[in-house]
């Protein structure tokens, strides 16, 4: 990257000012320090957590990221806030189910990664969290196959898709209630499983704590667990694994 920037300055295709911005580790906006080196260190640009930020703050951060990246992803965005941002940034796409707002550079060809991520939801009530995982992975360049409403109360629904799930490079399993689905999937596949507990359930589910503890105590090997309702975390980690597999096969 450094050599490329220096060559562009040398041949006049990039100004010294623009080169300085690209080489700076972060950009200080006053209310936020935008991490421009996140992609170099971790493989993906900084992701913006939208909750408790104003639309104006998000617009400032998004513009800074957009200037140096081919994708921008903002999580936990309400419809009203999304509308306010889109009025200023009309190229951004809002997904109401996942509450994700994102932009992708249409002029930049995406990386063709072999394989796909399986996103599996136990029930229809878990779909919002599952979509947060699925859309996150898609924005970050991975293909996603969705398998929804395949919980353990009707295990035949899951088994109907077993072969397709087994062919995935990594699975994200989203479940509330008792959270048993992650263990079932973990016993069927030979790839990493990222379990996402949700807050779906009645009183003794303790807003997802029951599912979280079940997943943490799973006897199936190869299961990692993220926080309650953290579909983004599940999708991001799955995309990292998918990216590493792609590099290994390149």
């Amino acid at each position: 990257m450094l050599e490329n920037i220096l060559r562009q300055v040398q041949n006049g295709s990039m100004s010294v000012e623009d080169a300085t911005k690209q080489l700076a580790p972060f950009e200080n906006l006053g209310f936020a320090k935008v991490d421009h080196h996140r992609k170099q260190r971790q493989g993906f640009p900084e992701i913006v957590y939208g909750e408790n930020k104003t639309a104006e703050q998000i617009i400032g951060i998004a513009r800074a990221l957009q200037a140096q990246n081919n994708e921008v992803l903002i999580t936990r965005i309400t419809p009203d806030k999304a509308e306010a941002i889109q009025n200023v940034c009309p190229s951004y796409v809002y997904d109401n189910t996942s509450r994700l707002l994102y932009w992708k550079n249409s002029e930049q060809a995406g990386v063709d990664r072999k394989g796909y991520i399986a996103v599996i939801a136990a029930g229809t009530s878990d779909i919002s969290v599952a979509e947060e995982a699925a859309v996150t992975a898609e924005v970050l360049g991975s293909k996603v196959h969705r398998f929804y409403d395949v919980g353990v109360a009707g295990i035949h629904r899951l088994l109907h898709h077993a072969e397709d799930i087994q062919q995935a490079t990594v699975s994200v399993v989203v479940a509330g209630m008792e959270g048993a689905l992650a263990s079932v999937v973990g016993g069927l596949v030979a790839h990493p499983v990222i379990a996402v507990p949700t807050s779906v359930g009645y009183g003794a589910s303790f807003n997802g704590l029951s599912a979280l503890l079940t997943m943490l105590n799973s006897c199936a090997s190869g299961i990692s667990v993220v926080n309650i309702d953290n579909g983004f975390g599940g999708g991001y980690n799955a995309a990292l694994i998918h990216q590493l597999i792609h590099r290994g096969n390149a």
Side-chain angles (χ1 to χ4, degrees):
M1 176 184 175
L2 176 59
E3 184 178 346
N4 184 46
I5 290 173
L6 291 175
R7 284 179 176 172
Q8 289 182 67
V9 172
Q10 184 181 44
N11 64 31
S13 62
M14 182 181 293
S15 68
V16 173
E17 181 182 3
D18 288 341
T20 301
K21 288 181 180 179
Q22 289 204 28
L23 291 171
F26 65 87
E27 183 177 349
N28 191 349
L29 302 180
F31 56 84
K33 292 180 175 64
V34 181
D35 185 357
H36 288 309
H37 284 193
R38 186 76 60 92
K39 188 167 186 174
Q40 297 175 48
R41 299 193 315 272
Q42 298 185 349
F44 298 124
E46 180 179 1
I47 310 299
V48 183
Y49 181 72
E51 199 166 320
N52 298 323
K53 289 184 178 71
T54 66
E56 290 74 20
Q57 289 171 335
I58 293 170
I59 290 167
I61 296 168
R63 281 176 166 171
L65 288 168
Q66 188 174 341
Q68 298 197 29
N69 296 283
N70 290 315
E71 61 274 327
V72 178
L73 178 63
I74 308 158
T75 69
R76 300 301 170 94
I77 295 290
T78 62
D80 289 345
K81 194 179 291 184
E83 183 178 1
I85 295 168
Q86 288 176 308
N87 285 337
V88 180
C89 304
S91 59
Y92 279 64
V93 176
Y94 181 61
D95 184 78
N96 189 65
T97 303
S98 63
R99 295 186 294 162
L100 294 174
L101 182 70
Y102 61 91
W103 168 84
K104 297 194 76 171
N105 186 352
S106 59
E107 297 179 0
Q108 184 71 25
V111 178
D112 185 18
R113 295 179 187 148
K114 294 180 180 179
Y116 55 88
I117 295 169
V119 175
I120 307 161
T124 304
S125 297
D126 300 306
I127 286 179
S128 61
V129 178
E131 277 299 292
E132 187 179 35
V135 177
T136 292
E138 288 173 334
V139 172
L140 297 178
S142 294
K143 295 177 183 176
V144 174
H145 289 192
R146 293 160 169 83
F147 306 91
Y148 290 172
D149 196 24
V150 292
V152 297
I155 198 70
H156 56 289
R157 299 173 300 178
L158 176 70
L159 298 177
H160 177 74
H161 298 289
E163 186 173 343
D164 290 334
I165 293 170
Q166 289 167 339
Q167 294 301 313
T169 55
V170 54
S171 287
V172 180
V173 181
V174 182
M177 300 290 188
E178 81 296 330
L181 183 62
S183 292
V184 175
V185 174
L188 293 173
V189 301
H191 58 243
V193 173
I194 300 168
V196 185
T198 75
S199 54
V200 171
Y202 297 103
S205 68
F206 296 107
N207 294 316
L209 182 59
S210 174
L212 173 65
L213 293 176
T214 296
M215 292 171 174
L216 287 171
N217 285 286
S218 175
C219 64
S221 302
I223 296 178
S224 300
V225 187
V226 299
N227 208 347
I228 299 167
D229 290 335
N230 187 11
F232 160 73
Y236 186 95
N237 280 290
L240 276 176
I241 293 170
H242 195 204
Q243 178 180 251
L244 287 172
I245 292 171
H246 172 75
R247 286 178 182 172
N249 292 331

